[in-house]
Amino acid sequence: MVQVKDYPEFSWSFTKHKMLLECELRYALSYYYSYGGWRQDASNRSRHIYRLKTLQSINMAFGSAVHSQIHRIVGQPDSWKKMPTESEIMTNVRADLNKAYQDSKYRHASWYENPSNTQMLMEIYYDGELPFEVIEDYQTRLPVTAQNLLSCPTIHHDLLQKRNDFKLITSERFRCIEFKGVKVWVVLDLLYQDLKNKKYVIVDFKTGKQSANGDEVTQLMLYAWFVRETFGIDSLEQIELRNEYLADGRTLTFIPTPFDFEKIEYLLHTSIERMHSYLKDVERNAPTELEQFQPTKNRRACERCSFRELCNVV
């Protein structure tokens, strides 16, 4: 008989790190108290928390749909000679968003019973409908995003014009490396080698505008640290970091420095230490009582949170 674990294996990711900084309660619900909620023998509370964890905002659904198209383009070298048109990209993204909408409006019972196989939009779950202005906003954003995707330097210049000097390493897959015995997970949108310039190029595609808190640069530096450790790169001049902002067509590039890697390792050390402080048993990754995790005081963060209906009852 396979023994079912009470808690997941402890690991670190930038997403988990940011969530803990923003709201301790959301972190606990996402990574501990929803665990096992997909099992038939799970408690009603665990199943309910797990259902809420699967909720997606329309912004998340849009980003996921666009990234599916990115992965179809960059993840299949044989298709680089024939890029999809803007119209094809928009059609596919609309189809994904329409499915999410149809699931949310008309398949509530299926989502309730099997939330991992049916989509539920957060706005429809909580408010019953998508506001017209939200739908209008995404109708406006979609053609701009499709156009900027196909015209960005990574796609238009590197894939189309330099494809013979381009070696794909990975596209939108989870990758793992250990840091002081802890698994660190990253998801690289795109990693390739520029064979002519002898560089590893790390690309992150953003469907939103640049944030003001610098998280996107930190995320890229984490990816650079991962690539250096994984491939044993000696010179940082061999690494190029690139953010492609599809909302406004901007491209930002960086070259990491030794100090950047010092900051990443310090971030990993302090963040893991803080996560451990919320455990009553580090070896089992068993969390403290839920009441020890404090909710955020940032009301705007609450509006984006899928667990907000629980804040008054946990």
Side-chain angles (χ1 to χ4, degrees), residues 240-271:
E240 179 181 327
L241 305 172
R242 189 183 297 170
N243 268 334
E244 298 281 14
Y245 291 96
L246 304 182
D248 55 20
R250 291 183 311 117
T251 301
L252 296 182
T253 60
F254 311 88
I255 300 295
T257 68
F259 182 58
D260 290 322
F261 288 151
E262 289 179 17
K263 290 193 294 185
I264 288 299
E265 292 191 359
Y266 178 75
L267 171 69
L268 288 168
H269 174 77
T270 55
S271 182

Side-chain angles (χ1 to χ4, degrees), residues 215-234:
D215 277 352
E216 292 147 20
V217 176
T218 301
Q219 188 175 30
L220 275 179
M221 294 305 172
L222 173 67
Y223 295 164
W225 173 84
F226 166 82
V227 169
R228 185 195 66 169
E229 295 295 307
T230 300
F231 295 97
I233 298 172
D234 295 325

Side-chain angles (χ1 to χ4, degrees), residues 129-182:
E129 191 54 88
L130 283 175
F132 176 75
E133 59 270 20
V134 171
I135 297 173
E136 196 173 46
D137 177 53
Y138 282 96
Q139 288 175 338
T140 302
R141 287 175 59 182
L142 179 53
V144 175
T145 299
Q147 181 183 42
N148 288 336
L149 172 59
L150 292 180
S151 64
C152 73
T154 299
I155 304 297
H156 181 71
H157 183 259
D158 288 8
L159 263 67
L160 287 181
Q161 299 180 25
K162 294 173 55 180
R163 58 177 175 264
N164 293 330
D165 299 320
F166 182 112
K167 179 182 177 183
L168 179 69
I169 297 176
T170 185
S171 170
E172 207 170 52
R173 296 176 185 171
F174 283 100
R175 298 290 178 180
C176 178
I177 190 173
E178 284 203 358
F179 176 78
K180 297 183 177 179
V182 173

Side-chain angles (χ1 to χ4, degrees), residues 102-117:
Q102 295 293 325
D103 278 2
S104 303
K105 288 290 290 184
Y106 307 113
R107 300 188 65 205
H108 187 280
S110 297
W111 171 78
Y112 188 88
E113 289 300 322
N114 197 349
S116 61
N117 287 341

Side-chain angles (χ1 to χ4, degrees), residues 272-290:
I272 290 169
E273 194 173 64
R274 184 180 179 191
M275 289 178 183
H276 280 168
S277 73
Y278 291 93
L279 302 176
K280 62 184 179 184
D281 187 333
V282 173
E283 187 173 329
R284 293 174 55 233
N285 194 30
T288 58
E289 297 304 315
L290 188 56

Side-chain angles (χ1 to χ4, degrees), residues 59 62 141 205-211 216 244-248:
N59 192 50
F62 179 76
R141 287 175 59 182
F205 294 90
K206 300 294 185 184
T207 54
K209 294 182 179 180
Q210 185 178 5
S211 65
E216 292 147 20
E244 298 281 14
Y245 291 96
L246 304 182
D248 55 20

Side-chain angles (χ1 to χ4, degrees), residues 64-75:
S64 178
V66 172
H67 273 78
S68 292
Q69 298 309 302
I70 294 169
H71 182 58
R72 288 181 61 187
I73 294 172
V74 303

